[in-house]
Amino acid sequence: VEVPVRGPVVDGFPSGGNFFVCSYWDTVVFSPISYQGTNNPVLGIRLFNQGRGLLNANCWANADNAVYGVDARDIWVFDGSKFTGLGTQRVKNYLFQNINPEYSDRVFVINNTQKSQIEIYYPDLLSATGWCNKMLAYKYNLDVFNAPRDVSDASHATESPVYQEFPDSSSGFNDASRTVVYSRGDPGSKL
């Protein structure tokens, strides 16, 4: 299958019954056009947006009915029909001037539903090992960016139940809770 994007395909995400596939530069949409005679859909593939893509395969996260992502020039939200840039030019300049270009393939994005925020983890210019040592958060319920914060050598993240002490003095995971935990590039470290 030939996909009409510039450069190799990086990753894709579902939205609104379609599947969007991104290169570093562009995005195409795979739309179901026929289910006749088979259970598998026939997909139409067309260019959706030039200039919007993904910095790498880990630079997008779903949040309710939107997808948030980072490409080589912007932080964006996709609502199923259009891309919208997030943040002021000052926020974007700060992020892209501080990502260590040698390790830009290690940038990743996660949805922290407990805090209603999208978290962008990145290695800054002072990251000697290349592991992500900074995090910039966008609170989608308030439409604001938080100040960047330091993290300890993050390599990837996921949502998990909170590990806590219970009233009976036992401890364990509280399945009625969530938090973001990230793995670290430090051998022997815990989540």
Side-chain angles (χ1 to χ4, degrees):
V1 172
E2 187 172 322
V3 180
V5 293
R6 294 173 289 172
V9 167
V10 174
D11 202 359
F13 55 85
S15 182
N18 295 313
F19 189 67
F20 295 85
V21 175
C22 300
S23 72
Y24 181 80
W25 303 103
D26 305 318
T27 300
V28 296
V29 60
F30 285 40
S31 300
I33 58 174
S34 173
Y35 285 94
Q36 297 173 358
T38 178
N39 290 336
N40 299 323
V42 174
L43 299 172
I45 303 170
R46 68 176 171 82
L47 183 63
F48 187 81
N49 193 299
Q50 281 190 315
R52 292 284 185 194
L54 290 171
L55 185 60
N56 68 51
N58 297 314
C59 284
W60 66 274
N62 281 29
D64 297 328
N65 59 353
V67 176
Y68 293 84
V70 176
D71 63 26
R73 66 178 177 94
D74 205 356
I75 305 163
W76 50 259
V77 60
F78 180 69
D79 65 4
S81 62
K82 70 180 185 323
F83 287 92
T84 304
L86 295 175
T88 64
Q89 194 60 48
R90 184 176 174 195
V91 170
K92 296 172 195 178
N93 288 346
Y94 174 83
L95 177 65
F96 293 109
Q97 288 172 359
N98 284 287
I99 290 177
N100 190 325
E102 189 173 343
Y103 303 112
S104 64
D105 60 330
R106 295 189 180 178
V107 176
F108 65 91
V109 177
I110 187 84
N111 179 12
N112 186 339
T113 59
Q114 180 188 36
K115 295 182 178 179
S116 298
Q117 67 186 22
I118 297 299
E119 297 174 353
I120 303 167
Y121 291 82
Y122 61 97
D124 74 357
L125 299 171
L126 301 176
S127 176
T129 60
W131 299 114
C132 298
N133 60 339
K134 294 286 186 185
M135 186 267 287
L136 179 66
Y138 171 73
K139 294 194 69 66
Y140 48 82
N141 60 336
L142 300 175
D143 190 25
V144 298
F145 278 88
N146 291 337
R149 61 179 269 223
D150 293 331
V151 295
S152 300
D153 298 332
S155 62
H156 202 54
T158 189
E159 285 197 303
S160 165
V162 176
Y163 189 82
Q164 67 184 70
E165 291 282 329
F166 297 116
D168 65 358
S169 298
S170 65
S171 59
F173 291 100
N174 178 351
D175 292 336
S177 65
R178 293 183 185 189
T179 188
V180 165
V181 293
Y182 61 87
S183 56
R184 297 191 309 191
D186 180 18
S189 66
K190 294 182 180 180
L191 293 176

